[in-house]
Amino acid sequence: MKSLINVAFDRSRTVLALLVLILISGIISYNTIPKEAEPDVAIPIIYVSMHHEGISPEDAERLLVRPMEKELQTIEGVKEMRASAEESHASVLLEFDAGFDSDKAMQDVREKVDLAKVELPAETDEPSVNEVNVALFPVLVVTLAGDVPERTLVTLARGLKDKIEGLREVLEADIAGDREEVVEVVVEPRVLDSYGISYEELINFVWRNNMLVAAGALDTGKGRFAVKVPGLLEGAEDVMSLPVKVVDDRVVTFGDVATVRRTFKDPTSFARVNGRPAISLEISKRVGENIIETIDKVRKIVDEEKAGWPKGVLVSYSQDKSDDVKTMLSDLQNNVLSAVLLVMVVMIGALGWRTGLLVGVAIPGSFLTGILIIYSMGLTINIVVLFSLIMAVGMLIDGAIVVTELADRKMAEGMPRREAFAFAAKRMSWPIIASTATTLAAFMPLLFWPGVVGEFMKFLPVTLLATLSASLFMALIFVPTLGELLGKQSPLGEDSLRSLAAAEKGELHEIRGLTGFYVRLLERLLAHPLKLLLLALFFLFVVYTAYYFLGKGVEFFPSVEPERAVVNVRARGNLSVFEQDALVKKVEQRILGMKEIQTLYSRSGINLRGQELPADTIGVIQMEFVDWQKRRPAAQILADIRQRTADIAGVIIETRKQEGGPPTGKPVQLQLSSRYPQMLEPAVRKVRAMMEKIGGFVDIEDDRPLPGIEWQLSVDRTHAARFGADVTVVGNAVQMVTNGIKVSDYRPDDADDEVDIIVRLPEGQRDLDQLDRLRVQTKYGLVPISNFVTRTPAPKVGNISRVDGQRVMTVKADVNEGVLPANKVEEIQAWLDQNVKLDPRVQLIFKGEDEEQRESREFLTRAFGVALFIMAIILVTQFNSFYQAFLILTAVIFSTVGVLLGLLTTGQPFGIVMSGIGVIALAGIV
């Protein structure tokens, strides 16, 4: 290092030119580096989604989930396999170890899906393989609302979608809240009966007359001609003109026996913004694009488009991720400027304005160099990087202060300016290197933090390593070289000379001022080292004991005042989608009058899949609050909402604040699994009763089947065979009453996707009684299905969940305000050990926040130990003494007293992630 310092002073102009280059490049990098909300982390989850219209949960488990599980379980590197079966849908989710090779994993999953799909029913849609990526989550939601026809909103949303997706920065604009278009062929059973047309004939006619015929080409020897047989339907008119039967030389077309119209599928959900019908566009940006510029361009396009829209259409924005990034960037700039000014004020007051200016250069220089390194590594500015940069402000200037102060003293003693700064840099090089190395050693183990939390947090050590390494070069190369030009040699006053002379002679009592007071106090304390050591140990013991008994416990992530919250509306029974929406609307009306809520986005119905919601959830109301300085705390607002909605009969209201840190769902989660599914329900009932007895829990839920009925149509196959009927004939007839039969599809010019053609009965004939009146065409003519079909009610089967091939049920709960989930988990564990005896065939484990907290605690404890050991090696290398290294490391232990005292004084619990990182950082700094 001394040789490098000598080279720097010999080629000072080159060093200064390099500094200017670094500063300019850093400024350019800061302005051009992509700015994101969350880090671009590949969450180690791949899921396979399967759709089969109308399939029951039991059949979905047996026919869809199990064949897929059988193939997927052989994939290498799978940490856990979770599956879910529900009405019309099934999915299998694979969780890999964090840091996995996503491309290889996707390839492996696709290969296994191709093997498994041959075992799936023919009517099942093509399974889709999807990867979860935080970077592809929506960064902005644009909502169109208003009292206008649904088709108007859909048309406007689709036009806006095309415009937004035309931006280079936008990956996708997904429309939520719209319905798929269909061509609905409504047939009257009596008309079909009069012509003797069966449902099978109807289906076959459409299918056979809507085919792409590749007729080829004809070569006559005297020319070659392409031959076309146009057979694809292009509009509703083509469907109406299709022949379905010939009766006495008369051709019966669809138009004679049915009404054909282009419409939407039956609603399964509704959406509203501030009480008005709405459709949302969820905007996702491309990986690596600047979130602030992307959202500004999207807003500009929306403003341009809405100028030509009907007056009744209102536009609102929500979940704008750029706001957080702008706030953090503003905080970073303010922190850096404040740090520079404060340091310069202190240094100018102590050593003069030239020295203050030198030290002040080290902060922006280190920051810009660190950002240049991050930019060169292909990383982005995100919330974790910004947090790390703000955290680094206090660590950047120690080395620069030490070097400039020593150089200033040497110049005051008469040493020439060049020699003074060269001497100071060389003399302090190894102490500064050791000091920086110990700080870096504290953060180095965080690079190996496992799991998704680790993938997020690894940006912290990377940023600090880059920034602190840059500060080392600032302190030893650039600042001394600048000092050679800017430093000023000033003679010492009479008091200063006397103090220096006294210090050199060991006459400490002659030193004056604050330094003199400190020196004399230290002199007295050093006269009684054993007493002081015993006092410190006693103080350490007292504080640790006080925290053990009086501390507020442990939490996974600190609770912060949220900007958003969610109200889950739950209700039980066989409710139609319209009844569900009516109940949600009642809740919505009670909340709409609250001025503290800026935006209210409501969704109701059964199409809420993909969220961690109780099975009886009928609606979700998302709220965005006004600025926290202009309202009550969120806890009080949510308590007020519960009170306002308490008298609405038939609904259960759950309120949840926006989570701080990684999303884990409800904080207390108990997962019960067994190879014997019949054992789960009694065990869940026992666990839930135990939690209610312990108390302190709110919004308890579990996965047991909800009370309700479903209708089973049992076909007597033997009796049906006598009529020449079978299950397929009955199934087609029943589908005419329910969702309709998809007979074909076509792609019209004004639609981006294929439009299904479905055949069904008129709306007035879609009820339970019609199931008994259905008649099917057989070899004996029309026969009522009641001759060989029995309709009976049966208990409704809810969603079925599986983990690693076993049925599971989960009990989840939130805790009362001010109660720590970790404490309640300990109470549950103690109660289970002492009072509740579960069947040994049922396994119980804690999931969710407790699982993440336990993994993070174990890693951070190991990381702290490794960091101390690396620091010890650096200190032994520096001093060549085990005693000196041990002496310095004891300061780390004693400094934790301040951490615990701070937590006791503020009444805060110890945060596993944030407090843990703070203690590790403290170890490096101390």
Side-chain angles (χ1 to χ4, degrees):
M1 180 56 74
K2 292 182 180 180
S3 301
L4 185 60
I5 294 171
N6 287 331
V7 171
F9 276 89
D10 291 339
R11 297 289 184 271
S12 58
R13 292 173 179 80
T14 304
V15 173
L16 294 179
L18 181 61
L19 177 61
V20 172
L21 175 64
I22 289 174
L23 294 178
I24 293 174
S25 302
I27 292 171
I28 294 172
S29 299
Y30 179 74
N31 289 325
T32 58
I33 190 171
K35 298 169 180 69
E36 299 183 312
E38 287 86 13
D40 177 15
V41 173
I43 293 182
I45 290 178
I46 296 176
Y47 66 93
V48 181
S49 180
M50 296 166 282
H51 181 267
H52 187 125
E53 190 65 39
I55 196 171
S56 67
E58 311 104 297
D59 290 338
E61 179 192 30
R62 183 167 52 88
L63 301 176
L64 304 181
V65 170
R66 287 184 180 175
M68 194 62 68
E69 281 182 339
K70 182 180 176 183
E71 296 295 340
L72 295 177
Q73 67 185 4
T74 60
I75 295 177
E76 187 177 353
V78 175
K79 181 180 177 182
E80 185 177 74
M81 180 171 63
R82 302 192 290 272
S84 174
E86 52 195 280
E87 185 180 342
S88 300
H89 182 263
S91 64
V92 180
L93 183 147
L94 302 173
E95 181 179 351
F96 294 81
D97 294 318
F100 75 129
D101 185 341
S102 59
D103 293 334
K104 183 179 183 303
M106 284 289 286
Q107 181 180 349
D108 292 344
V109 172
R110 286 196 175 102
E111 289 176 358
K112 297 300 182 182
V113 168
D114 288 341
L115 293 175
K117 68 183 182 183
V118 297
E119 300 181 34
L120 304 182
E123 297 81 7
T124 304
D125 295 345
E126 180 76 13
S128 64
V129 181
N130 308 277
E131 183 180 5
V132 177
N133 190 339
V134 171
L136 305 182
F137 285 0
V139 296
L140 178 71
V141 176
V142 182
T143 306
L144 281 60
D147 297 319
V148 295
E150 180 182 14
R151 187 171 290 277
T152 301
L153 281 180
V154 171
T155 303
L156 294 176
R158 288 176 178 171
L160 185 59
K161 168 188 168 77
D162 294 338
K163 288 279 187 180
I164 292 174
E165 287 185 340
L167 292 173
R168 176 182 59 82
E169 297 87 350
V170 173
L171 175 69
E172 182 183 22
D174 186 36
I175 299 179
D178 65 334
R179 291 189 283 162
E180 289 185 41
E181 283 195 276
V182 295
V183 169
E184 192 175 76
V185 180
V186 180
V187 298
E188 176 61 53
R190 285 171 295 189
V191 176
L192 289 180
D193 294 348
S194 65
Y195 286 110
I197 301 173
S198 68
Y199 300 129
E200 289 77 15
E201 289 177 310
L202 210 60
I203 296 168
N204 288 331
F205 272 120
V206 178
W207 177 73
R208 294 179 65 83
N209 284 280
N210 185 33
M211 297 183 68
L212 176 65
V213 180
L218 179 65
D219 193 334
T220 64
K222 296 183 180 180
R224 181 179 174 83
F225 308 95
V227 179
K228 292 184 179 180
V229 183
L232 292 176
L233 300 174
E234 296 181 4
E237 300 79 11
D238 295 340
V239 178
M240 293 189 68
S241 62
L242 282 178
V244 293
K245 193 158 190 173
V246 177
V247 180
D248 298 331
D249 293 333
R250 182 188 167 212
V251 178
V252 181
T253 65
F254 252 112
D256 297 324
V257 299
T259 303
V260 181
R261 59 173 184 160
R262 188 167 167 183
T263 182
F264 296 102
K265 284 189 175 182
D266 291 344
T268 57
S269 63
F270 296 94
R272 285 181 296 276
V273 170
N274 295 332
R276 295 171 175 265
I279 290 179
S280 298
L281 277 83
E282 298 176 348
I283 316 296
S284 302
K285 71 174 188 62
R286 295 187 185 277
V287 175
E289 293 294 339
N290 191 314
I291 187 172
I292 297 174
E293 294 178 1
T294 302
I295 290 180
D296 286 345
K297 289 183 179 180
V298 170
R299 285 177 176 266
K300 184 178 179 181
I301 285 181
V302 174
D303 291 339
E304 292 172 354
E305 288 293 306
K306 73 179 182 182
W309 291 350
K311 292 183 179 179
V313 179
L314 302 176
V315 177
S316 62
Y317 303 94
S318 58
Q319 300 180 33
D320 188 341
K321 297 291 183 68
S322 67
D323 289 341
D324 295 335
V325 178
K326 289 177 182 175
T327 302
M328 292 288 282
L329 285 172
S330 175
D331 289 346
L332 174 66
Q333 293 167 354
N334 293 337
N335 272 275
V336 172
L337 291 174
S338 301
V340 171
L341 291 174
L342 287 172
V343 167
M344 291 183 67
V345 167
V346 173
M347 296 304 294
I348 289 170
L351 301 172
W353 72 270
R354 291 175 183 268
T355 305
L357 184 62
L358 283 175
V359 175
V361 168
I363 297 177
S366 301
F367 266 113
L368 293 173
T369 307
I371 289 172
L372 181 59
I373 295 171
I374 293 170
Y375 181 70
S376 303
M377 294 172 64
L379 303 179
T380 61
I381 290 284
N382 52 63
I383 285 179
V384 180
V385 171
L386 290 173
F387 168 73
S388 308
L389 291 172
I390 293 172
M391 185 178 175
V393 169
M395 309 181 201
L396 299 178
I397 55 173
D398 297 346
I401 290 175
V402 169
V403 170
T404 54
E405 194 276 336
L406 180 57
D408 198 64
R409 175 181 166 182
K410 289 300 176 183
M411 285 190 295
E413 292 175 352
M415 186 178 287
R417 187 168 56 197
R418 176 187 173 93
E419 294 178 16
F421 275 97
F423 170 81
K426 286 186 255 187
R427 177 66 183 85
M428 288 292 128
S429 60
W430 282 114
I432 291 174
I433 291 172
S435 173
T436 306
T438 52
T439 307
L440 296 178
F443 293 102
M444 193 81 71
L446 299 183
L447 287 169
F448 307 99
W449 196 333
V452 176
V453 178
E455 290 295 303
F456 271 84
M457 298 305 295
K458 75 176 181 183
F459 289 87
L460 185 145
V462 168
T463 305
L464 289 173
L465 289 172
T467 311
L468 293 178
S469 299
S471 74
L472 180 64
F473 284 92
M474 283 289 162
L476 296 180
I477 303 295
F478 295 110
V479 168
T481 307
L482 271 176
E484 180 188 356
L485 299 176
L486 300 178
K488 183 178 181 182
Q489 193 161 348
S490 58
L492 287 174
E494 186 178 343
D495 289 342
S496 299
L497 288 172
R498 189 183 300 113
S499 294
L500 279 173
E504 289 173 358
K505 294 178 182 178
E507 298 172 355
L508 300 179
H509 59 279
E510 294 294 333
I511 300 176
R512 298 181 181 181
L514 185 62
T515 306
F517 171 76
Y518 165 70
V519 168
R520 285 186 288 276
L521 175 64
L522 189 62
E523 188 178 24
R524 292 180 182 178
L525 294 175
L526 287 174
H528 308 280
L530 186 59
K531 293 180 181 177
L532 184 64
L533 178 60
L534 291 174
L535 180 63
L537 290 173
F538 175 74
F539 191 55
L540 182 73
F541 174 77
V542 169
V543 171
Y544 269 79
T545 304
Y547 186 80
Y548 180 80
F549 289 104
L550 304 176
K552 298 298 182 180
V554 177
E555 64 180 359
F556 178 51
F557 215 86
S559 177
V560 296
E561 182 61 24
E563 299 175 355
R564 305 178 187 90
V566 171
V567 175
N568 292 335
V569 184
R570 298 165 54 189
R572 299 195 167 190
N574 291 80
L575 301 174
S576 72
V577 67
F578 301 100
E579 291 172 319
Q580 292 178 7
D581 187 57
L583 289 172
V584 173
K585 198 175 287 187
K586 282 186 180 180
V587 177
E588 183 184 333
Q589 293 300 321
R590 302 288 179 92
I591 304 175
L592 272 173
M594 301 179 70
K595 296 179 180 179
E596 295 158 311
I597 297 174
Q598 183 174 320
T599 307
L600 202 69
Y601 178 39
S602 307
R603 287 173 298 153
S604 63
I606 61 176
N607 194 22
L608 301 172
R609 184 183 301 127
Q611 305 183 47
E612 293 288 334
L613 296 172
D616 57 354
T617 301
I618 62 169
V620 175
I621 302 175
Q622 296 177 337
M623 300 172 292
E624 283 197 339
F625 300 124
V626 299
D627 190 86
W628 65 273
Q629 296 171 323
K630 303 175 184 177
R631 60 172 170 84
R632 295 174 293 169
Q636 295 182 20
I637 297 174
L638 297 181
D640 190 4
I641 289 175
R642 285 181 181 268
Q643 188 175 357
R644 286 169 176 248
T645 56
D647 62 334
I648 300 178
V651 299
I652 304 169
I653 301 297
E654 281 188 6
T655 57
R656 287 192 58 75
K657 294 187 291 187
Q658 178 185 1
E659 293 183 42
T664 55
K666 288 188 176 179
V668 179
Q669 298 184 24
L670 291 82
Q671 180 182 287
L672 294 91
S673 60
S674 177
R675 293 175 59 86
Y676 307 94
Q678 69 275 11
M679 307 298 301
L680 290 176
E681 275 198 58
V684 168
R685 197 179 303 114
K686 193 178 291 186
V687 169
R688 178 159 182 164
M690 172 264 297
M691 293 175 67
E692 290 171 348
K693 192 168 185 178
I694 291 175
F697 298 99
V698 293
D699 298 334
I700 303 176
E701 61 173 277
D702 60 67
D703 293 349
R704 287 177 295 170
L706 300 175
I709 64 167
E710 60 185 15
W711 293 100
Q712 292 184 355
L713 300 177
S714 303
V715 180
D716 186 334
R717 290 179 171 83
T718 303
H719 202 40
R722 295 192 180 113
F723 292 94
D726 53 31
V727 174
T728 301
V729 172
V730 174
N732 288 337
V734 171
Q735 281 182 286
M736 294 286 289
V737 179
T738 55
N739 300 322
I741 303 173
K742 177 184 173 182
V743 294
S744 190
D745 54 45
Y746 77 108
R747 189 184 294 271
D749 294 335
D750 59 345
D752 296 331
D753 301 317
E754 290 182 338
V755 175
D756 293 342
I757 302 172
I758 63 171
V759 181
R760 64 196 312 190
L761 298 183
E763 188 172 354
Q765 298 184 36
R766 300 177 208 155
D767 52 36
L768 286 174
D769 292 337
Q770 184 64 33
L771 292 176
D772 299 325
R773 295 194 297 266
L774 278 175
R775 295 192 295 177
V776 294
Q777 193 76 29
T778 70
K779 61 183 179 181
Y780 299 109
L782 289 169
V783 176
I785 66 169
S786 55
N787 287 342
F788 43 84
V789 173
T790 306
R791 178 166 66 92
T792 55
K796 185 178 180 180
V797 177
N799 298 346
I800 297 172
S801 300
R802 296 164 62 89
V803 172
D804 294 333
Q806 288 191 14
R807 283 267 194 104
V808 299
M809 286 188 180
T810 307
V811 182
K812 303 178 183 179
D814 212 330
V815 294
N816 287 327
E817 191 70 25
V819 177
L820 289 178
N823 295 344
K824 302 309 293 183
V825 168
E826 289 179 5
E827 288 184 42
I828 293 173
Q829 189 63 63
W831 190 274
L832 288 170
D833 294 339
Q834 297 172 11
N835 301 295
V836 179
K837 301 300 179 184
L838 297 178
D839 192 289
R841 291 171 291 180
V842 177
Q843 292 79 44
L844 185 147
I845 57 174
F846 289 93
K847 302 287 284 185
E849 182 176 307
D850 180 71
E851 183 180 32
E852 296 285 347
Q853 178 175 309
R854 189 168 58 250
E855 291 178 358
S856 297
R857 181 175 61 238
E858 292 172 357
F859 168 75
L860 289 173
T861 303
R862 292 195 300 269
F864 186 65
V866 171
L868 287 178
F869 200 87
I870 296 175
M871 283 187 278
I873 293 174
I874 295 171
L875 293 172
V876 168
T877 304
Q878 170 72 14
F879 297 108
N880 196 26
S881 167
F882 287 110
Y883 172 74
Q884 293 281 9
F886 172 76
L887 193 65
I888 294 173
L889 287 177
T890 56
V892 175
I893 306 301
F894 283 108
S895 66
T896 58
V897 170
V899 176
L900 300 184
L901 276 177
L903 294 174
L904 282 172
T905 304
T906 58
Q908 296 291 326
F910 186 92
I912 291 295
V913 175
M914 303 311 291
S915 300
I917 291 175
V919 169
I920 290 176
L922 175 70
I925 296 168
V926 168

